[in-house]
Amino acid sequence: MTSIVGVHGIGKYHYFEEAGGSAAGAAGAMRAKWNAYLHEGLAGRAAGAGDYFAEIAYYAHHLHSGPPTPPRQMGAPAKLVLADWAAQLGGPFRDVAGESLTGLAHRLAEWLLTRMGPEAVRFAQDFCPEVAAYLGGGDPRVRARDAVAEVVRRRRPRVVVAHSLGSVVAYEALWAHPDLSVDLLVTLGSPLGMRDVVFERLAPLPVRGRGARPPGVRHWVNIADKDDIAAIPAVLSSCFDGVDRDVSCDIDWLDFHTVRNYLRCPSAGEYLKPYVT
C-alpha cells in the first residue's frame, strides 16, 4: 500500500501531554484517528479502520506556549493575529482610535461569539497563538518545519495531506528542503492565502502577489469547506500558481474545520483513493 504522510493542524498539544511528553506517542495516537476518519470516508462510514497514513508529522510541541486563554488574555502577537484574521471576516474595526489591543481583542471575541457562536471563539483561542508562534519566526518555526521535513524524508510518501496550520508548515518545509518530492499535496482548510496574517509572511515570500507550488510537488489539490473561517480565501489558485484543483465542500456548518470531517468527505476520498487501492 502506498504511504501517505499527514501534517496536523492547530490545537493538538494535548496529544503530547497524553503521551507523557512523547512526540512519537502523540503522532501514533493521531495516526490511528486519521486512519479511522479516512476509512469512514472511503468505505461509506463503515466500521473499522484501514492503514492509509504511514505517519502524522507532529510539531505542536514546538509551538506550545501555555493553555488556551480568552482573547483578551492572549499575548500581543496573538491579539494582532486575531485582529487581522477578524478583518478577513468583516470584523468591527470602526472607531478603534485610542482603543487598547486588549480592548479590541475583547470586542472582537464578543463579535465572534454573537456572529458565529462559541465554537468560533474556541477556534480563535487555538488558531491565533499558534499562528503567531509559528510565523513569529525563530526556533519554533524552524523546529516545526524541520519536524515535518524529517518525516517526509524518512517515509518518502507519494502523498502529503496537510490540514489547517499544517498546510503552512508543510508548504514551507517542502520549499525549504527542495530534495523532498511528492506526487500529490492535499491541503485541507488551509489559511495559506490569508492576507495580512499568513500570505505576506510566508517563506519564500510571494513574488508580485503570487505564491507558487513547491518545486518537489507534482500536483496540488486544495479542499475547503464553504464555511471554514480559517480557509480564507477558499480558492488558493487566486493567489498561488500551481494549484491543480480548488475543491469546495460542505462538511458541517458548525464543525467547519476539523480534520475528522475533511477526511470523511467525498472530495478527499476522490483524490486519495487512487493512492490507497
Side-chain angles (χ1 to χ4, degrees):
M1 180 172 290
T2 302
S3 66
I4 305 175
V5 160
V7 186
H8 69 79
I10 61 170
K12 300 299 183 281
Y13 181 74
H14 66 93
Y15 285 98
F16 186 72
E17 293 182 308
E18 292 162 4
S22 166
M30 295 189 70
R31 175 178 175 267
K33 289 189 174 183
W34 282 44
N35 275 328
Y37 301 152
L38 183 56
H39 183 76
E40 290 174 13
L42 293 172
R45 300 186 180 275
D51 189 19
Y52 309 113
F53 289 91
E55 190 169 342
I56 306 302
Y58 188 80
Y59 64 86
H61 56 309
H62 295 307
L63 305 183
H64 184 67
S65 58
T69 59
R72 67 184 304 165
Q73 297 176 18
M74 291 177 182
K79 288 174 181 173
L80 289 171
V81 168
L82 172 63
D84 289 335
W85 169 60
Q88 317 291 315
L89 301 170
F93 282 88
R94 295 180 181 177
D95 305 319
V96 298
E99 184 174 18
S100 70
L101 191 56
T102 297
L104 177 60
H106 181 64
R107 185 154 60 93
L108 290 172
E110 291 181 333
W111 173 79
L112 282 172
L113 182 63
T114 301
R115 181 181 173 187
M116 300 177 185
E119 184 62 32
V121 178
R122 287 192 290 270
F123 173 83
Q125 291 175 180
D126 285 325
F127 180 77
C128 297
E130 291 192 27
V131 169
Y134 182 75
L135 293 177
D139 287 344
R141 187 174 193 166
V142 173
R143 288 197 297 266
R145 191 173 63 200
D146 287 352
V148 171
E150 188 277 328
V151 174
V152 175
R153 179 172 289 109
R154 176 164 43 81
R155 290 292 185 177
R156 301 179 65 186
R158 291 184 65 196
V159 184
V160 169
V161 177
H163 175 237
S164 185
L165 178 60
S167 69
V168 180
V169 184
Y171 176 88
E172 292 198 344
L174 290 166
W175 267 108
H177 299 270
D179 60 302
L180 302 178
S181 62
V182 297
D183 280 354
L184 176 65
L185 171 65
V186 178
T187 48
L188 306 173
S190 174
L192 270 165
M194 192 180 292
R195 300 285 178 172
D196 300 320
V197 179
V198 175
F199 186 70
E200 293 84 357
R201 300 162 72 182
L202 288 171
L205 289 170
V207 177
R208 293 185 290 276
R210 303 283 300 179
R213 184 172 68 203
V217 175
R218 293 187 61 192
H219 300 288
W220 181 359
V221 172
N222 177 59
I223 302 174
D225 178 77
K226 63 182 183 61
D227 295 313
D228 193 332
I229 57 178
I232 305 173
V235 178
L236 286 185
S237 58
S238 65
C239 46
F240 287 88
D241 296 328
V243 179
D244 295 280
R245 291 289 303 275
D246 275 296
V247 181
S248 177
C249 62
D250 186 2
I251 56 177
D252 192 317
W253 74 278
L254 287 174
D255 197 5
F256 48 77
H257 188 66
T258 61
V259 73
R260 175 182 64 249
N261 283 347
Y262 271 115
L263 290 176
R264 284 172 171 173
C265 79
S267 298
E270 176 185 352
Y271 290 98
L272 295 177
K273 191 172 183 177
Y275 293 91
V276 299
T277 56

